[in-house]
Amino acid sequence: MAPSILAADFAHLADEIARVEEAGADLLHLDVMDGHFVPNLTIGPAIVEKIRPVTNLLLDVHLMIEEPARYIQAFAEAGADVITFHAEVVGDPEALAQRIHELGCEAGVTMNPDGPLDQVRRAVPHVDMVLIMTIYAGFGGQQFLPETLPTIRTVRGWLSEEQRLEVDGGIHAGTVASAAEAGADVFVAGTAIFRSPGGDYAASIAELRAVAAAAAAS
Ligand code: DX5
Ligand code: ZN
């Protein structure tokens, strides 16, 4: 389970991160947006650097930016553990994944629901994780797109046991089962955790995990 801080209260970010860590999160998902690849603007390496010392969670950095190659070193130095780039904007995913590895991070490749699946396939042998977007990247709080499920299934078939398959967008207790059943094993959730009614992050994470595990086992 990878809570996305996009839905957190940024005025109290360290507290929010401590609460999801305490609540049983496995990764902390950090959404980086540049106002070009996606219309929204979020955080950069300076914030990642400030987050690094306040948590033991692995930092899962999702780059929704046009020129990821220009910034991966800055994110690696800021303390990223996993750096995921969009296949839409990378001509040579093998070289970029290799560079990410040289910087001491794990590499992930991702794409939007209408993204270039053959580019992702070419990247698969060189990455630790594939992220299939289950919404169009740019904003939290969107509806899960079920038409992405066949893609999740296809990509699962390409991956080894060690490679992870992450999904991101519209994941909540009502959608996580279909993603898990299709083969996803890492689940990003912003709204469903940070904006859950009652604000019980542990209960939200536990419910997502239980529903996903039951679906994966079925
Ligand atoms: C959107 C981001 C997501 C977003 C998910 O472009 O990549 O990580 O935070 O938010 P929810 O879980 O609210 O759909
Ligand atoms: Zn994301």
Side-chain angles (χ1 to χ4, degrees):
M1 292 301 152
S4 161
I5 64 163
L6 200 54
D9 178 354
F10 273 89
H12 301 99
L13 194 51
D15 293 345
E16 292 275 70
I17 292 168
R19 286 183 63 199
V20 286
E21 183 166 8
E22 174 79 6
D26 303 292
L27 293 168
L28 193 68
H29 186 81
L30 306 179
D31 288 303
V32 176
M33 305 188 189
D34 66 352
H36 292 276
F37 179 66
V38 289
N40 202 359
L41 281 167
T42 57
I43 65 167
I47 306 287
V48 176
E49 190 181 352
K50 289 294 182 185
I51 290 173
R52 179 64 289 168
V54 306
T55 181
N56 292 315
L57 290 169
L58 294 174
L59 302 183
D60 178 30
V61 174
H62 175 194
L63 297 180
M64 286 160 274
I65 65 178
E66 252 167 27
E67 291 188 77
R70 277 180 66 185
Y71 297 98
I72 52 172
Q73 183 165 357
F75 283 102
E77 287 173 359
D81 294 289
V82 186
I83 298 180
T84 297
F85 56 86
H86 270 263
E88 289 91 334
V89 289
V90 172
D92 186 351
E94 177 176 356
L96 192 59
Q98 191 182 335
R99 181 83 188 107
I100 292 171
H101 287 142
E102 282 164 9
L103 289 162
C105 300
E106 291 197 343
V109 66
T110 184
M111 65 168 216
N112 271 314
D114 63 353
L117 195 54
D118 13 321
Q119 273 283 91
V120 170
R121 185 170 198 169
R122 286 207 290 130
V124 160
H126 314 290
V127 296
D128 306 284
M129 184 171 83
V130 176
L131 164 57
I132 296 300
M133 293 304 297
T134 45
I135 55 164
Y136 284 87
F139 298 92
Q142 301 183 68
Q143 291 252 336
F144 180 86
L145 298 172
E147 57 266 36
T148 59
L149 291 168
T151 310
I152 297 169
R153 254 183 222 107
T154 300
V155 171
R156 180 79 264 173
W158 299 339
L159 302 181
S160 68
E161 281 285 297
E162 298 76 47
Q163 288 173 305
R164 295 183 304 284
L165 178 43
E166 185 175 55
V167 284
D168 181 7
I171 299 293
H172 55 71
T175 55
V176 72
S178 58
E181 193 269 324
D185 53 15
V186 181
F187 305 89
V188 176
T191 306
I193 294 172
F194 286 106
R195 304 206 182 158
S196 58
D200 186 342
Y201 299 172
S204 303
I205 291 173
E207 184 184 20
L208 289 170
R209 186 178 279 127
V211 174
S218 69

